[in-house]
Amino acid sequence: MAIVCEKDQLQEQHLLKIKEICNTFNKDHSELINILHGCQGYFGYLPAEVQEAIALEIDMPVSKVFGVVTFYSFFTMKPKGEFPISVCTGTACYVRGADKLVDEFQRELGIDVGQTTEDGKFSISTLRCVGACGLAPVVMVGDKTYGHVSPKMVKKILKEYKTK
Amino acid sequence: MSKINQHILTCGGTGCRASESKELAQNLRDEIASNPAIEGSVKVVECGCFGFCEKGPIVKMLPDNTFYTQVKPTNAKEIIEEHIVKGRKIENLLYTDPVTKEVIDESKNMGFYKKQHRIALRNCGFVDPENIGEYIAREGYEALGRAIFEQEPQVIIDTIKASGLRGRGGGGFPTGLKWEFTKNAKGDQKYVVCNADEGDPGAFMDRSILEGDPHSIIEAMAICAYAIGANEGLVYIRAEYPLAIDRLKIAIKQAEETGLLGDNILGSDFSFKITIKYGAGAFVCGEETALIQSMEGLRGEPNLKPPFPAESGYFQKPTNVNNVETLANIPVILNKGADWYASMGTEKSKGTKVFALAGKINNVGLIEVPMGTTLREVIFDIGGGIKDGKKFKAVQTGGPSGGCLTEEHLDTPIDFDNLLAIGSMMGSGGMVVLDEDDCMVSMAQFYLEFTVEESCGKCAPCRIGNKRLHETLEKITQGKGVMEDLHQLRNMSEVIKETSLCGLGQTSPNPVLSTLDNFWDEYVEHVEDKKCVAGQCKSMLRYVITEEDCVGCTACVRVCPTNAITGTKKKPHIINQDLCIKCGACMDKCSFDSILLIA
């Protein structure tokens, strides 16, 4: 679950957490990716304020931190939903109809890939190959994997989480 | 305490875990624990991937080798009561050959396994990856021990060179030579790097090896370190592979505790430690110079070679980068000898290769065959042919850097050079099979979309050229293409190949070029007749309601997002083609199959 930063200000406890993560890696510049993994694991995403705090802490230009965050698809600057939906669009899933699943999720939730529903419950993203090609097409909701998904199953999957 | 005389091996790979194999293993353990007659004599072992992902979760019974497929957690009771206690095989969990309808009870008699020769995958599906003892019991760490105490580094390098092993990550560079370059490079500090940033969509062999046999990688890295004179190793692994990361961490810890990793390995003066570095989802980081940039905490942008990492790599020190599958072969080659390894394969590609079979094929899974096996044997004998009795159209090898091969290439023996000669490449070993329903122009567009997203942007040919290629392909699939576009595609592709900085750009036009070469008529049909025979390009298709079948239930009217469907209740409906956005919602909804998609 994403931690929301109020009025672009990080609370003291959040700054302390960032410091703690940076210290785990000795503020080493070559450990930036690991630091970002740690911070995203805690905050759920990497908003500008978090990047600024990291830059300050490890004494690196914030532009460099931003450059790394935006380079790697694993890092996100927008909070994901409580139940992040990832549709695998690797080749094996694509040829078994993953694009139709993306369409169906978008239609059911009324959001595009990369967006989060207004209530913060769902977000849709696509990912490249989870390596479960035997189950193609594959959809992940949080840590749970669904295999052999058809457009008709999309509603059923969403229903599981809507009541949670 | 009674002696364990029966083992139940369950698949604990990512694919089978997604089908509840973990719950299955737990249920089996619970059943055993609740039965005093067998408790203590039967052991459940969660192994790595058996490879037969199509029929997962897999359960293998030892010692009688019974091979159960598609086992659910609810089958646990039956397996214990019937198979273990009463010694009866459970008929409905056995594999049935889709062609002969014969029920087969052992994997060695199954078409999927018959032609395979598993070297890199030797322990996957045999050992508990979280138990170093099981790896050691299968000749594990013997090669390392022998290397340290009995062999000069050059002897090891010569053996690897003589074996003919070539890099399995895609490039196919001779591994022994790479080691020798790094050994001979000047530097006070050297590094061994394992490239586990498996980014090819549709390829999952590296993940499976790390999940199923992590110690083979640790042992190989230590041997390499000894041979080149390094004492530090790094594994660069995708953050998207949580299970592989866990298993690797456990294996490293166990190796350290056993004295096979760390200071003074086995009491010798050779020390070696391994740390894990995480990727963060960038395909280009599979390229070794980009990988090194990423390990240094930077954007993973490739550098010009030379200097090669062997001279100047991680923090400008000599660095040897090998892929997971390449490393998995090392201990076996040293145990069985270079001649044994070189006796398999073709003239210039020795040994075996792991392929990930996926797409429209009956037996999706991970296979390992000697180099020189033909595509036909792989797709039809091992892969079991095309799904749902459809017709084979193409096979895409080498991921986004490879090409689409057709019927006429099926009898080509697979090796590095043959695949290059026919316009594709080995890549990391992904093999996606396509049938008559797949549109080749859309496939090319799919791959280019991937390349455009993954291009790091450092050099212009790749950054801009691939974008233009993608736009042109999009234009064609939207029915707006002209013949000139096809020539443009070829011209641009050739320029991008020649002028790009790294392997990503130099190979990214392959899907376009190979489809232009092998499926020219299909491109022309898209451009001149505005027709997509495979029925994939939406803009060239129409949804229509057949009058005879439509009962006028109005279900389609209600689901149509653009109000394109009209008609009165209990009378056939009509779709207004000008309003239809071709989403297909009506077709999914219709219970009477009265809506058709026509070209």
Side-chain angles (χ1 to χ4, degrees):
Chain A
M1 182 66 186
I3 292 170
V4 183
C5 316
E6 278 176 32
K7 290 178 199 156
D8 300 337
Q9 285 283 310
L10 287 172
Q11 289 168 17
E12 192 60 26
Q13 73 205 72
H14 299 148
L15 280 172
L16 281 174
K17 186 71 195 179
I18 293 174
K19 278 188 179 169
E20 184 194 317
I21 293 169
C22 293
N23 284 332
T24 324
F25 296 102
N26 299 323
K27 302 184 184 182
D28 184 349
H29 287 191
S30 72
E31 295 287 355
L32 178 61
I33 291 175
N34 277 338
I35 292 171
L36 293 173
H37 273 301
C39 290
Q40 183 161 302
Y42 177 74
F43 290 99
Y45 68 123
L46 296 168
E49 301 78 47
V50 172
Q51 295 179 37
E52 278 164 19
I54 294 170
L56 203 66
E57 189 59 31
I58 64 173
D59 193 22
M60 182 188 256
V62 70
S63 60
K64 282 211 163 174
V65 178
F66 178 77
V68 171
V69 169
T70 50
F71 185 85
Y72 295 97
S73 62
F74 197 85
F75 299 130
T76 169
M77 288 180 62
K78 284 188 201 147
K80 290 196 169 172
E82 186 184 349
F83 304 109
I85 298 164
S86 309
V87 183
C88 178
T89 51
T91 323
C93 288
Y94 171 78
V95 299
R96 288 195 181 179
D99 50 338
K100 292 186 184 75
L101 299 180
V102 176
D103 289 348
E104 191 65 18
F105 274 111
Q106 291 187 148
R107 198 164 60 209
E108 280 294 327
L109 294 172
I111 53 169
D112 284 338
V113 169
Q115 294 181 332
T116 306
T117 51
E118 261 179 32
D119 60 3
K121 263 205 141 140
F122 297 103
S123 56
I124 312 175
S125 62
T126 57
L127 54 82
R128 299 289 185 188
C129 203
V130 285
C133 305
L135 302 171
V138 173
V139 171
M140 290 183 76
V141 182
D143 291 336
K144 191 164 176 194
T145 313
Y146 295 84
H148 301 299
V149 182
S150 67
K152 281 182 183 164
M153 286 163 68
V154 165
K155 244 195 187 131
K156 240 171 72 188
I157 294 174
L158 289 174
K159 213 173 156 189
E160 262 183 60
Y161 295 91
K162 274 184 178 155
T163 47
K164 272 190 190 174
Chain B
M1 201 178 124
S2 55
K3 198 170 152 241
I4 293 171
N5 52 28
Q6 292 193 80
H7 283 85
I8 306 176
L9 311 183
T10 65
C11 178
T14 293
C16 284
R17 278 210 170 172
S19 308
E20 302 182 299
S21 72
K22 201 168 168 60
E23 291 76 4
L24 165 67
Q26 192 50 50
N27 285 3
L28 286 167
R29 286 196 189 100
D30 292 345
E31 288 293 336
I32 294 167
S34 66
N35 189 335
I38 56 166
E39 201 199 348
S41 66
V42 185
K43 190 181 170 195
V44 178
V45 182
E46 283 182 77
C47 303
C49 182
F50 285 79
F52 202 13
C53 308
E54 182 72 34
K55 295 285 175 195
I58 304 291
V59 170
K60 191 173 180 177
M61 314 294 287
L62 292 181
D64 73 359
N65 281 318
T66 306
F67 195 85
Y68 289 130
T69 55
Q70 291 181 314
V71 186
K72 295 188 182 67
T74 47
N75 295 126
K77 198 177 171 71
E78 199 181 3
I79 290 176
I80 301 302
E81 287 181 356
E82 288 294 310
H83 192 112
I84 298 286
V85 178
K86 295 181 188 156
R88 290 187 212 147
K89 291 190 180 181
I90 305 157
E91 203 68 15
N92 61 5
L93 291 180
L94 293 173
Y95 174 73
T96 309
D97 189 291
V99 181
T100 63
K101 304 291 169 213
E102 185 194 351
V103 177
I104 302 172
D105 60 358
E106 283 190 48
S107 55
K108 65 173 189 223
N109 298 326
M110 289 160 52
F112 182 76
Y113 286 103
K114 256 186 212 168
K115 289 198 169 175
Q116 289 200 48
H117 189 78
R118 291 159 82 94
I119 296 174
L121 299 175
R122 62 195 177 279
N123 289 326
C124 291
F126 281 102
V127 303
D128 176 354
E130 298 184 10
N131 182 346
I132 191 172
E134 297 203 6
Y135 178 71
I136 292 172
R138 286 175 64 91
E139 299 186 335
Y141 291 105
E142 268 182 31
L144 175 65
R146 206 178 317 110
I148 298 175
F149 294 106
E150 295 171 17
Q151 288 168 330
E152 287 299 315
Q154 191 59 44
V155 173
I156 297 166
I157 289 176
D158 288 341
T159 310
I160 302 299
K161 274 166 80 178
S163 75
L165 177 67
R166 291 169 67 175
R168 299 295 195 243
F173 191 82
T175 307
L177 211 56
K178 206 177 201 179
W179 286 21
E180 193 164 52
F181 286 151
T182 321
K183 176 178 177 275
N184 294 338
K186 286 191 177 67
D188 48 346
Q189 169 82 52
K190 291 178 187 177
Y191 294 100
V192 176
V193 173
C194 168
N195 180 352
D197 187 54
E198 189 171 49
D200 270 15
F204 49 97
M205 57 283 292
D206 293 350
R207 194 207 64 209
S208 290
I209 293 171
L210 284 168
E211 283 176 5
D213 193 17
H215 285 287
S216 67
I217 304 304
I218 295 173
E219 180 179 8
M221 285 177 75
I223 293 169
C224 175
Y226 174 76
I228 67 170
N231 54 28
E232 264 190 67
L234 302 119
V235 180
Y236 183 85
I237 187 167
R238 290 179 77 187
E240 290 91 334
Y241 282 176
L243 185 61
I245 293 170
D246 279 354
R247 297 242 166 101
L248 184 64
K249 277 185 181 165
I250 293 170
I252 290 174
K253 192 162 169 273
Q254 289 180 347
E256 283 168 351
E257 287 165 357
T258 322
L260 293 159
L261 209 54
D263 290 333
N264 304 101
I265 291 175
L266 296 168
S268 71
D269 52 11
F270 171 61
S271 301
F272 181 62
K273 63 169 188 175
I274 294 178
T275 46
I276 301 177
K277 286 270 185 179
Y278 301 102
F283 176 67
V284 70
C285 290
E287 200 279 339
E288 53 186 8
T289 60
L291 180 147
I292 288 167
Q293 292 279 309
S294 180
M295 289 201 309
E296 292 175 8
L298 306 168
R299 289 164 67 95
E301 292 172 349
N303 285 327
L304 258 185
K305 292 193 274 193
F308 289 92
E311 295 161 6
S312 173
Y314 188 53
F315 290 115
Q316 288 77 51
K317 305 288 183 194
T319 305
N320 180 79
V321 185
N322 285 136
N323 144 283
V324 172
E325 190 191 331
T326 315
L327 289 170
N329 282 297
I330 300 288
V332 199
I333 292 174
L334 293 175
N335 281 336
K336 298 198 175 180
D339 293 343
W340 166 80
Y341 195 78
S343 70
M344 290 170 287
T346 60
E347 195 196 338
K348 286 183 178 164
S349 303
K350 300 298 184 191
T352 55
K353 175 78 190 93
V354 182
F355 292 100
L357 284 181
K360 309 283 183 64
I361 193 164
N362 274 318
N363 302 338
V364 168
L366 208 56
I367 62 153
E368 185 169 356
V369 288
M371 293 275 192
T373 307
T374 64
L375 282 165
R376 190 183 299 280
E377 287 172 282
V378 168
I379 295 167
F380 290 93
D381 297 347
I382 299 171
I386 311 303
K387 247 192 160 48
D388 304 325
K390 298 252 174 163
K391 203 168 161 284
F392 169 83
K393 183 167 187 179
V395 55
Q396 215 281 348
T397 70
S401 320
C404 289
L405 303 172
T406 63
E407 186 91 41
E408 64 172 300
H409 301 119
L410 282 180
D411 293 311
T412 311
I414 307 168
D415 73 7
F416 286 103
D417 310 286
N418 282 344
L419 285 180
L420 272 180
I422 52 177
S424 186
M425 65 185 285
M426 183 77 84
S428 56
M431 233 182 232
V432 181
V433 177
L434 309 172
D435 70 10
E436 51 195 305
D437 293 338
D438 290 303
C439 161
M440 301 315 290
V441 187
S442 303
M443 275 316 285
Q445 188 191 339
F446 167 80
Y447 279 112
L448 260 295
E449 189 185 317
F450 178 85
T451 318
V452 168
E453 256 178 52
E454 296 297 340
S455 169
C456 78
K458 186 170 178 174
C459 74
C462 178
R463 183 182 66 240
I464 304 170
N466 283 316
K467 195 145 175 77
R468 292 293 97 83
L469 278 183
H470 181 253
E471 282 168 2
T472 311
L473 289 164
E474 199 172 21
K475 194 175 150 195
I476 297 171
T477 56
Q478 286 176 349
K480 298 171 191 159
V482 293
M483 282 308 282
E484 175 57 23
D485 290 332
L486 303 189
H487 303 295
Q488 274 288 356
L489 279 178
R490 187 177 291 279
N491 284 343
M492 280 195 287
S493 296
E494 277 158 10
V495 174
I496 296 168
K497 265 181 95 106
E498 272 172 35
T499 53
S500 288
L501 177 67
C502 82
L504 195 152
Q506 287 157 8
T507 55
S508 62
N510 282 348
V512 181
L513 287 171
S514 69
T515 46
L516 278 172
D517 285 342
N518 297 324
F519 298 93
W520 175 256
D521 293 348
E522 206 171 321
Y523 274 90
V524 175
E525 265 176 12
H526 276 76
V527 172
E528 298 214 311
D529 309 335
K530 308 293 174 211
K531 215 171 140 187
C532 172
V533 281
Q536 290 290 317
C537 297
K538 277 186 187 169
S539 67
M540 299 176 197
L541 303 171
R542 285 181 302 139
Y543 283 92
V544 291
I545 299 175
T546 50
E547 262 184 49
E548 311 84 78
D549 297 322
C550 179
V551 298
C553 72
T554 73
C556 57
V557 176
R558 276 174 277 139
V559 81
C560 178
T562 58
N563 299 322
I565 307 178
T566 49
T568 38
K569 228 176 181 180
K570 296 191 179 166
K571 293 262 170 65
H573 286 40
I574 299 171
I575 301 176
N576 181 342
Q577 296 299 330
D578 293 335
L579 294 176
C580 176
I581 54 165
K582 294 162 184 169
C583 66
C586 52
M587 196 172 172
D588 290 340
K589 194 75 195 175
C590 182
S591 316
F592 305 94
D593 293 334
S594 73
I595 299 178
L596 299 178
L597 190 56
I598 56 171

Short mmCIF file of all heavy atoms in Angstrom, two decimals, chain B residues 469-505:
data_model
loop_
_atom_site.label_atom_id
_atom_site.label_comp_id
_atom_site.label_asym_id
_atom_site.label_seq_id
_atom_site.Cartn_x
_atom_site.Cartn_y
_atom_site.Cartn_z
N LEU B 469 10.29 2.47 -37.54
CA LEU B 469 9.88 1.13 -37.99
C LEU B 469 8.52 0.77 -37.39
O LEU B 469 7.62 0.30 -38.08
CB LEU B 469 10.90 0.06 -37.54
CG LEU B 469 12.17 -0.14 -38.35
CD1 LEU B 469 12.98 -1.29 -37.74
CD2 LEU B 469 11.86 -0.46 -39.80
N HIS B 470 8.39 1.03 -36.11
CA HIS B 470 7.15 0.70 -35.42
C HIS B 470 5.97 1.48 -36.00
O HIS B 470 4.90 0.94 -36.25
CB HIS B 470 7.29 0.96 -33.92
CG HIS B 470 6.05 0.62 -33.14
ND1 HIS B 470 5.22 1.56 -32.62
CD2 HIS B 470 5.48 -0.59 -32.85
CE1 HIS B 470 4.20 0.96 -32.02
NE2 HIS B 470 4.34 -0.33 -32.14
N GLU B 471 6.20 2.77 -36.25
CA GLU B 471 5.12 3.60 -36.82
C GLU B 471 4.68 3.08 -38.19
O GLU B 471 3.49 3.03 -38.50
CB GLU B 471 5.61 5.05 -36.99
CG GLU B 471 5.62 5.83 -35.69
CD GLU B 471 6.38 7.15 -35.81
OE1 GLU B 471 6.86 7.48 -36.93
OE2 GLU B 471 6.49 7.83 -34.80
N THR B 472 5.68 2.69 -38.98
CA THR B 472 5.35 2.20 -40.32
C THR B 472 4.55 0.90 -40.23
O THR B 472 3.56 0.71 -40.96
CB THR B 472 6.64 1.97 -41.13
OG1 THR B 472 7.45 3.14 -41.00
CG2 THR B 472 6.35 1.71 -42.59
N LEU B 473 4.96 0.02 -39.33
CA LEU B 473 4.23 -1.24 -39.17
C LEU B 473 2.81 -0.99 -38.67
O LEU B 473 1.85 -1.63 -39.09
CB LEU B 473 4.98 -2.16 -38.19
CG LEU B 473 6.27 -2.74 -38.73
CD1 LEU B 473 7.13 -3.29 -37.60
CD2 LEU B 473 5.99 -3.84 -39.75
N GLU B 474 2.68 -0.02 -37.78
CA GLU B 474 1.37 0.33 -37.24
C GLU B 474 0.46 0.83 -38.37
O GLU B 474 -0.71 0.46 -38.46
CB GLU B 474 1.54 1.41 -36.17
CG GLU B 474 0.36 1.51 -35.26
CD GLU B 474 0.62 2.45 -34.08
OE1 GLU B 474 1.53 3.31 -34.19
OE2 GLU B 474 -0.08 2.32 -33.08
N LYS B 475 1.06 1.65 -39.23
CA LYS B 475 0.33 2.20 -40.38
C LYS B 475 -0.20 1.04 -41.24
O LYS B 475 -1.35 1.04 -41.67
CB LYS B 475 1.32 3.06 -41.18
CG LYS B 475 0.72 3.97 -42.21
CD LYS B 475 1.83 4.84 -42.82
CE LYS B 475 1.51 5.20 -44.26
NZ LYS B 475 2.68 5.73 -44.98
N ILE B 476 0.65 0.04 -41.45
CA ILE B 476 0.25 -1.08 -42.30
C ILE B 476 -0.86 -1.91 -41.64
O ILE B 476 -1.85 -2.24 -42.28
CB ILE B 476 1.47 -1.98 -42.62
CG1 ILE B 476 2.50 -1.18 -43.42
CG2 ILE B 476 1.05 -3.22 -43.40
CD1 ILE B 476 3.83 -1.88 -43.62
N THR B 477 -0.72 -2.17 -40.33
CA THR B 477 -1.76 -2.98 -39.68
C THR B 477 -3.06 -2.21 -39.53
O THR B 477 -4.11 -2.79 -39.32
CB THR B 477 -1.32 -3.49 -38.29
OG1 THR B 477 -0.95 -2.37 -37.49
CG2 THR B 477 -0.15 -4.45 -38.38
N GLN B 478 -2.99 -0.89 -39.64
CA GLN B 478 -4.23 -0.10 -39.57
C GLN B 478 -4.86 0.08 -40.95
O GLN B 478 -5.81 0.83 -41.12
CB GLN B 478 -3.96 1.26 -38.94
CG GLN B 478 -3.74 1.16 -37.44
CD GLN B 478 -3.37 2.49 -36.81
OE1 GLN B 478 -3.08 3.45 -37.52
NE2 GLN B 478 -3.38 2.52 -35.50
N GLY B 479 -4.26 -0.57 -41.93
CA GLY B 479 -4.84 -0.51 -43.27
C GLY B 479 -4.51 0.75 -44.03
O GLY B 479 -5.19 1.11 -44.99
N LYS B 480 -3.46 1.48 -43.59
CA LYS B 480 -3.13 2.74 -44.27
C LYS B 480 -1.80 2.65 -45.01
O LYS B 480 -1.25 3.66 -45.45
CB LYS B 480 -3.04 3.87 -43.24
CG LYS B 480 -4.34 4.13 -42.51
CD LYS B 480 -4.11 5.12 -41.36
CE LYS B 480 -5.32 5.20 -40.45
NZ LYS B 480 -4.98 5.72 -39.12
N GLY B 481 -1.25 1.43 -45.11
CA GLY B 481 0.06 1.29 -45.73
C GLY B 481 0.05 1.43 -47.24
O GLY B 481 -0.97 1.20 -47.91
N VAL B 482 1.20 1.84 -47.78
CA VAL B 482 1.39 1.86 -49.23
C VAL B 482 2.64 1.03 -49.54
O VAL B 482 3.46 0.77 -48.66
CB VAL B 482 1.57 3.31 -49.78
CG1 VAL B 482 0.28 4.10 -49.63
CG2 VAL B 482 2.71 4.01 -49.05
N MET B 483 2.80 0.64 -50.81
CA MET B 483 3.92 -0.24 -51.16
C MET B 483 5.27 0.36 -50.79
O MET B 483 6.20 -0.34 -50.39
CB MET B 483 3.88 -0.58 -52.65
CG MET B 483 2.87 -1.65 -53.01
SD MET B 483 3.01 -3.15 -52.04
CE MET B 483 4.40 -3.95 -52.83
N GLU B 484 5.38 1.68 -50.92
CA GLU B 484 6.63 2.35 -50.61
C GLU B 484 7.07 2.05 -49.16
O GLU B 484 8.26 1.95 -48.85
CB GLU B 484 6.46 3.86 -50.84
CG GLU B 484 7.64 4.74 -50.46
CD GLU B 484 8.94 4.37 -51.16
OE1 GLU B 484 8.89 3.75 -52.24
OE2 GLU B 484 10.01 4.69 -50.61
N ASP B 485 6.08 1.89 -48.28
CA ASP B 485 6.38 1.61 -46.87
C ASP B 485 7.21 0.33 -46.71
O ASP B 485 8.08 0.24 -45.85
CB ASP B 485 5.08 1.46 -46.06
CG ASP B 485 4.36 2.78 -45.89
OD1 ASP B 485 5.05 3.82 -45.90
OD2 ASP B 485 3.12 2.77 -45.78
N LEU B 486 6.88 -0.66 -47.55
CA LEU B 486 7.58 -1.94 -47.42
C LEU B 486 9.06 -1.78 -47.76
O LEU B 486 9.93 -2.37 -47.13
CB LEU B 486 6.93 -3.01 -48.31
CG LEU B 486 5.44 -3.27 -48.06
CD1 LEU B 486 4.98 -4.49 -48.85
CD2 LEU B 486 5.16 -3.49 -46.58
N HIS B 487 9.34 -0.96 -48.77
CA HIS B 487 10.75 -0.73 -49.13
C HIS B 487 11.44 0.10 -48.06
O HIS B 487 12.59 -0.14 -47.72
CB HIS B 487 10.82 -0.06 -50.51
CG HIS B 487 10.13 -0.88 -51.57
ND1 HIS B 487 10.58 -2.12 -51.95
CD2 HIS B 487 9.00 -0.65 -52.27
CE1 HIS B 487 9.76 -2.63 -52.86
NE2 HIS B 487 8.79 -1.76 -53.07
N GLN B 488 10.70 1.06 -47.52
CA GLN B 488 11.23 1.87 -46.42
C GLN B 488 11.61 0.99 -45.23
O GLN B 488 12.66 1.17 -44.61
CB GLN B 488 10.18 2.89 -45.95
CG GLN B 488 10.17 4.18 -46.73
CD GLN B 488 11.39 5.03 -46.40
OE1 GLN B 488 12.20 4.68 -45.55
NE2 GLN B 488 11.54 6.13 -47.11
N LEU B 489 10.72 0.03 -44.94
CA LEU B 489 10.98 -0.86 -43.80
C LEU B 489 12.32 -1.56 -43.98
O LEU B 489 13.13 -1.64 -43.06
CB LEU B 489 9.88 -1.94 -43.70
CG LEU B 489 8.57 -1.56 -43.04
CD1 LEU B 489 7.61 -2.75 -43.09
CD2 LEU B 489 8.77 -1.16 -41.59
N ARG B 490 12.54 -2.06 -45.19
CA ARG B 490 13.78 -2.79 -45.43
C ARG B 490 15.00 -1.85 -45.34
O ARG B 490 15.99 -2.19 -44.69
CB ARG B 490 13.73 -3.48 -46.79
CG ARG B 490 14.92 -4.41 -47.02
CD ARG B 490 14.82 -5.14 -48.32
NE ARG B 490 13.76 -6.13 -48.34
CZ ARG B 490 13.86 -7.35 -47.82
NH1 ARG B 490 14.98 -7.72 -47.23
NH2 ARG B 490 12.87 -8.20 -47.88
N ASN B 491 14.88 -0.69 -45.96
CA ASN B 491 16.01 0.26 -45.93
C ASN B 491 16.37 0.65 -44.51
O ASN B 491 17.52 0.59 -44.10
CB ASN B 491 15.65 1.53 -46.71
CG ASN B 491 15.73 1.29 -48.20
OD1 ASN B 491 16.34 0.30 -48.63
ND2 ASN B 491 15.12 2.15 -48.98
N MET B 492 15.34 1.05 -43.77
CA MET B 492 15.59 1.50 -42.39
C MET B 492 16.20 0.37 -41.57
O MET B 492 17.15 0.57 -40.81
CB MET B 492 14.28 1.96 -41.74
CG MET B 492 13.87 3.36 -42.13
SD MET B 492 12.60 3.98 -41.02
CE MET B 492 11.18 3.04 -41.51
N SER B 493 15.65 -0.85 -41.75
CA SER B 493 16.14 -1.99 -40.99
C SER B 493 17.63 -2.19 -41.22
O SER B 493 18.40 -2.41 -40.28
CB SER B 493 15.41 -3.27 -41.38
OG SER B 493 14.06 -3.17 -41.06
N GLU B 494 18.01 -2.10 -42.47
CA GLU B 494 19.43 -2.35 -42.76
C GLU B 494 20.33 -1.27 -42.16
O GLU B 494 21.41 -1.58 -41.65
CB GLU B 494 19.62 -2.49 -44.28
CG GLU B 494 19.30 -3.92 -44.70
CD GLU B 494 18.93 -4.10 -46.16
OE1 GLU B 494 19.09 -3.14 -46.94
OE2 GLU B 494 18.46 -5.21 -46.51
N VAL B 495 19.86 -0.02 -42.18
CA VAL B 495 20.67 1.05 -41.59
C VAL B 495 20.77 0.88 -40.07
O VAL B 495 21.86 1.01 -39.49
CB VAL B 495 20.07 2.44 -41.94
CG1 VAL B 495 20.82 3.54 -41.21
CG2 VAL B 495 20.12 2.67 -43.44
N ILE B 496 19.65 0.54 -39.45
CA ILE B 496 19.66 0.38 -37.98
C ILE B 496 20.63 -0.75 -37.59
O ILE B 496 21.41 -0.62 -36.65
CB ILE B 496 18.24 0.07 -37.45
CG1 ILE B 496 17.31 1.25 -37.71
CG2 ILE B 496 18.27 -0.25 -35.96
CD1 ILE B 496 15.85 0.95 -37.50
N LYS B 497 20.57 -1.84 -38.34
CA LYS B 497 21.45 -2.98 -38.05
C LYS B 497 22.93 -2.58 -38.12
O LYS B 497 23.74 -2.98 -37.31
CB LYS B 497 21.22 -4.09 -39.09
CG LYS B 497 20.24 -5.14 -38.66
CD LYS B 497 20.08 -6.20 -39.73
CE LYS B 497 20.99 -7.37 -39.44
NZ LYS B 497 20.27 -8.54 -38.96
N GLU B 498 23.24 -1.80 -39.15
CA GLU B 498 24.64 -1.47 -39.38
C GLU B 498 25.19 -0.42 -38.43
O GLU B 498 26.38 -0.39 -38.14
CB GLU B 498 24.83 -0.97 -40.81
CG GLU B 498 25.08 -2.09 -41.81
CD GLU B 498 25.07 -1.58 -43.22
OE1 GLU B 498 25.53 -0.44 -43.45
OE2 GLU B 498 24.59 -2.32 -44.10
N THR B 499 24.32 0.49 -37.99
CA THR B 499 24.85 1.67 -37.30
C THR B 499 24.57 1.72 -35.79
O THR B 499 25.06 2.62 -35.12
CB THR B 499 24.31 2.96 -37.94
OG1 THR B 499 22.88 2.87 -37.98
CG2 THR B 499 24.83 3.14 -39.34
N SER B 500 23.80 0.79 -35.26
CA SER B 500 23.49 0.87 -33.84
C SER B 500 24.71 0.53 -32.98
O SER B 500 25.60 -0.19 -33.40
CB SER B 500 22.34 -0.07 -33.48
OG SER B 500 21.14 0.43 -33.99
N LEU B 501 24.66 1.06 -31.76
CA LEU B 501 25.81 0.92 -30.85
C LEU B 501 25.96 -0.49 -30.28
O LEU B 501 27.05 -1.03 -30.22
CB LEU B 501 25.64 1.94 -29.71
CG LEU B 501 26.67 1.94 -28.60
CD1 LEU B 501 28.03 2.38 -29.12
CD2 LEU B 501 26.23 2.86 -27.47
N CYS B 502 24.85 -1.06 -29.84
CA CYS B 502 24.98 -2.36 -29.16
C CYS B 502 24.11 -3.42 -29.80
O CYS B 502 23.37 -3.17 -30.75
CB CYS B 502 24.64 -2.22 -27.67
SG CYS B 502 22.88 -2.26 -27.32
N GLY B 503 24.18 -4.59 -29.24
CA GLY B 503 23.47 -5.75 -29.75
C GLY B 503 21.97 -5.55 -29.87
O GLY B 503 21.33 -6.11 -30.76
N LEU B 504 21.40 -4.73 -29.00
CA LEU B 504 19.96 -4.54 -29.05
C LEU B 504 19.55 -3.91 -30.39
O LEU B 504 18.70 -4.43 -31.11
CB LEU B 504 19.50 -3.67 -27.88
CG LEU B 504 18.00 -3.65 -27.57
CD1 LEU B 504 17.76 -3.37 -26.11
CD2 LEU B 504 17.24 -2.62 -28.39
N GLY B 505 20.18 -2.81 -30.73
CA GLY B 505 19.86 -2.14 -31.99
C GLY B 505 20.32 -2.91 -33.21
O GLY B 505 19.66 -2.91 -34.25
#
